[in-house]
Amino acid sequence: MEDAYARSVSEVLDFFEVDPAKGLGDSQVARHARLYGKNVLPEEERTSFWKLVLKQFDDLLVKILIAAALISFVLALVNGETGLVAFLEPSVILMILAANAAVGVITETNAEKALEELRAYQADVATVLRNGCFSILPATELVPGDIVEVSVGCKVPADLRMVEMLSDQLRVDQAILTGESCSVGKEVAPSVATNAVYQDKTNILFSGTVIVVGRARAIVVGIGANTAMGSIRDAMLQTGDEATPLKKKLDEFGSFLAKVIAGICILVWVVNIGHFSDPSHGGLLRGAIHYFKIAVALAVAAIPEGLPAVVTTCLALGTKRMARLNAIVRSLPSVETLGCTTVICSDKTGTLTTNMMSVAKISVVHSIHHGALLSDYSVNGTTYAPEGFIFDNVDYQLEFPAQLPCLLQIAMCSALCNDSILQYNPDNGNYEKIGESTEVALRVLAEKIGLPGFDSMPSSLNMLSKHERASYCNHYWENQFRKVSVLEFSRDRKMMSVLCSQKQMDILFSKGAPESILTRCTNVLCNDDGSTVPLTNHIRTCLEERFHSFAGKETLRCLALAIKRMPPGQQTLALNDEKELTFVGLVGMLDPPREEVKSAILSCMTAGIRVIVVTGDNKSTAESLCRKIGAFDDFGDYAGRSYTASEFEELPALQKTVALQRMALFTRVEPSHKRMLVEALQRQNEVVAMTGDGVNDAPALKKADIGIAMGSGTAVAKSASDMVLADDNFASIVAAIAEGRAIYNNTKQFIRYMISSNIGEVVCIFVAAVLGIPDTLAPVQLLWVNLVTDGLPATAIGFNKQDCDVMKSKPRKVGEAVVTGWLFFRYLVIGAYVGLATVAGFIWWFVYAESGPKLPYSELMNFDTCSTRDTSYPCTIFDDRHPSTVAMTVLVVVEMFNALNNLSENQSILVIPPWSNLWLVGSIIVTMILHLLILYVHPLAVLFSVTPLSWAEWTVVLYLSFPVIIIDEVLKFFSRCTLGTRLNFRLRRVDLLPKRELRDK
């Protein structure tokens, strides 16, 4: 029944044909069970294991690699090749792809846990009225129409419509669903709100929320998927995983690269059609197969096989660094996404605030004879921990607050007129509450005021264990006084009173709404001398003004405290006893902002990141918080920057677009609104990070580009998120964003390194094919260079240090290409030099080397007709392993120098020297040691078709390799100058990575 909140109790009972005094009968239960199903969240259909595996290979570059591996395997079989070398290349490629697929499957399997965690918030049992008798049944057996009784501590077992109040009031903690900072009062009367959100449905008890005060009967109106929790589950199921900006750009780059590779391969094959019938191949078909193998080798050379592994490794390194910043990453790609975040939609309760009510202000009557009439005190400490101090109106810390009469009486009243419990939980190292958060705040205040008469009191309290310290002062007062009678809080009186006895002295302690307490007070306690004086109209007016100031401008939740001497021996309390009270003081409390939030939001603004506070709380409370933390960016007028969900939904489409660009606060929201906000911002090409801790945040966390859950939040929120803040510290997000930006910069650098190296390999093979000289490099040598000598330095580039101004620049745009036109031009220049230097090393050995044959260049170009001509040299010279070894070594060494170029995109190697990244230096050393091993260890030399080099040959290798640093230094100089900027601007229209957003339009 979807509109039960708007119907009267009798209408709802008639709809389900139930007698509230007897409940459903057995036949009705059976019929409703068939009609509505069971009270469980249905299990979602899981993606099969094999579908997850196949999904990992749904990438164009991966498909090309698989095709290249299979073709290499088939060609080896066709040519009758045997042994390890023949099948090494396809085997290694397939092993790499299998490893990447395994990582992907594990990641996606973890992502499905969020929906499982949601079931933890369903109640286990319920007290149900059936056939005229109450019984405790499993909550799964509830059906719509059941009459259920709930009381303090109960978890609501389904969505219930209030039928009867069995206590003076009923309050529910529904923060996990709505994000409200305080418990919510419930009533029986139907709601008259139009377009009602969860907060407006004051007669509905939502499944999974907890009763904190009172007792009531209600009728089940929604079970399983038809509850508020069920709607959250449906929203999560409808939310697919979004590809990260880097993933999108790499996919586009893969598509572009695939087209280029296909074109070059076909071109190489076509260019050599005339050589198919050369005698050296042994026939036309064999010649065609030979050049087809070269084309396949070219494809393998062009594709950076190690790129997925290196990207994964770099992101993993980032997660390790971020873990040290208390940001635990659950999804590797989200590390990079942080770097381009443009909007943070932050939950208020528990994220920007502590989600722990805390007394912030105290106001008492100082004296009516001299000085100021009222004295105000501020209280610091923002959690339930009994740690904090009290300051006077000139910010002077009070050494012994309990020596002041009013503060002493406030501490006694806070401890005794209280039903809550404050305790220390050693498992998570936190102080926890049982009961109303406002009452726990008063208990904490009593601890901060301390006890009177002990000079060593502050230091003595600090020596206690945390378990003893939690309620030491409260227990002291409870031991000093004996509770005799209690008048519970009621909605008409709006106050609570306790009669306590101590050594033949009986005192009434009262607390409640200031307007209720003040009307019952005739006297007031003075703080300067402890005297009691009549409460005059002037004092009453001043106290009322102070109350309105606290509640209005500072949006504090206010309580007034009062006492009264009672006749000795009285054992019961009546309503008439709550009069002629003595006013003690006014306390103002709030869910305080975290201390570090203000500076964190300022850092976000400096970095060009907008923060939107999203909360289920009311507008005035949230606006007050935003003023405190600086979320409004010092604007005095909040028009156009603060909206409730209903106000925003009523705006025309064009005004909604404008509102989204200026919005800083979004209030009175429910889960669907949070998800709608994320989607609307994403349509404006914003990269959205969503923070939250409640069950209500889960759909939005999953939909956002990056979902950030609080470490103290619900398991559902954590499972739906990409990142968890272990310390619940909003400031950790800023540090994580800086790390994300640095990771993206490093990612660009190692992509640049790998692609420029691969371009060099393509140029090498292409130029050799066009010139008609022998194969410069064997396929197994290309594979070695791609996987080992490329992979280690590329991974080490991930350790490049963060730029000092990384958080002073605006976030990069979503459509910004990883490789711009100017950058690709630099790739081509460096790649061309790498390829030409490799070919030059090969030709040098044949034509100029002292240990070589010193052939005329024309003989080298006609090597394939050697067997048909008379020559002064044996044709076996073209099978010598020296030239390909020199070429391979040039390729390795030039790439090591090129790795040093990638310490920074534009800064000179003189400004950022090699030792700024010792990991890179170490990887270069390890790579060269591995290369020396395959040159000088005989079995490895045979496997890789190489041979040891002489010192003269090494000298030429260094001469050919070092100029790559000089060339890149020149290109970096142009990048730093206006010429590079102009070239970049001119080439922006033809970015090699097309912008999907523009293309879609």
Side-chain angles (χ1 to χ4, degrees), residues 472-535:
Y472 185 85
C473 298
N474 283 273
H475 289 162
Y476 174 84
W477 293 120
E478 288 167 351
N479 291 331
Q480 291 290 312
F481 289 86
R482 179 176 61 88
K483 284 190 181 182
V484 177
S485 182
V486 177
L487 274 178
E488 296 286 351
F489 182 95
S490 66
R491 288 195 298 166
D492 53 347
R493 288 166 38 246
K494 294 183 180 179
M495 62 183 293
M496 170 189 179
S497 296
V498 177
L499 175 61
C500 296
S501 175
Q502 182 197 38
K503 298 177 182 178
Q504 304 304 314
M505 179 177 65
D506 291 347
I507 301 178
L508 178 73
F509 294 100
S510 297
K511 76 168 189 289
E515 61 271 24
S516 297
I517 295 289
L518 279 170
T519 57
R520 290 170 167 81
C521 288
T522 55
N523 299 301
V524 62
L525 182 68
C526 293
N527 200 40
D528 63 339
D529 56 6
S531 61
T532 300
V533 298
L535 178 59

Side-chain angles (χ1 to χ4, degrees), residues 308-323:
V310 173
V311 170
T312 301
T313 304
C314 186
L315 294 178
L317 292 172
T319 65
K320 191 173 180 181
R321 287 197 293 267
M322 290 167 83

Side-chain angles (χ1 to χ4, degrees), residues 818-971:
V818 177
V819 184
T820 59
W822 166 245
L823 200 56
F824 193 75
F825 173 75
R826 287 173 59 178
Y827 286 2
L828 287 176
V829 172
I830 296 298
Y833 180 79
V834 169
L836 292 174
T838 304
V839 173
F842 184 84
I843 294 174
W844 168 84
W845 189 86
F846 277 108
V847 179
Y848 299 108
E850 290 296 328
S851 57
K854 292 190 176 180
L855 298 178
Y857 181 69
S858 58
E859 288 293 318
L860 183 61
M861 290 182 63
N862 294 306
F863 78 99
D864 48 357
T865 61
C866 177
S867 59
T868 63
R869 295 182 289 111
D870 291 331
T871 59
S872 58
Y873 54 87
C875 291
T876 55
I877 193 70
F878 297 112
D879 296 325
D880 195 301
R881 289 186 290 179
H882 274 90
S884 63
T885 303
V886 171
M888 180 185 177
T889 304
V890 168
L891 183 58
V892 169
V893 175
V894 78
E895 289 186 5
M896 295 306 100
F897 282 124
N898 191 30
L900 296 176
N901 287 332
N902 288 278
L903 287 163
S904 171
E905 183 176 334
N906 294 317
Q907 289 297 326
S908 168
I909 199 172
L910 301 175
V911 175
I912 302 179
W915 51 87
S916 65
N917 186 345
L918 293 177
W919 286 100
L920 181 58
V921 175
S923 71
I924 291 172
I925 293 171
V926 171
T927 299
M928 290 308 302
I929 290 172
L930 290 172
H931 187 67
L932 292 173
L933 282 175
I934 69 165
L935 290 187
Y936 296 101
V937 176
H938 182 69
L940 293 175
V942 173
L943 181 64
F944 288 97
S945 302
V946 293
T947 191
L949 297 181
S950 65
W951 177 246
E953 289 166 336
W954 272 106
T955 304
V956 172
V957 166
L958 292 172
Y959 276 136
L960 288 171
S961 303
F962 184 76
V964 75
I965 286 185
I966 299 171
I967 293 170
D968 200 55
E969 284 294 306
V970 172
L971 293 171

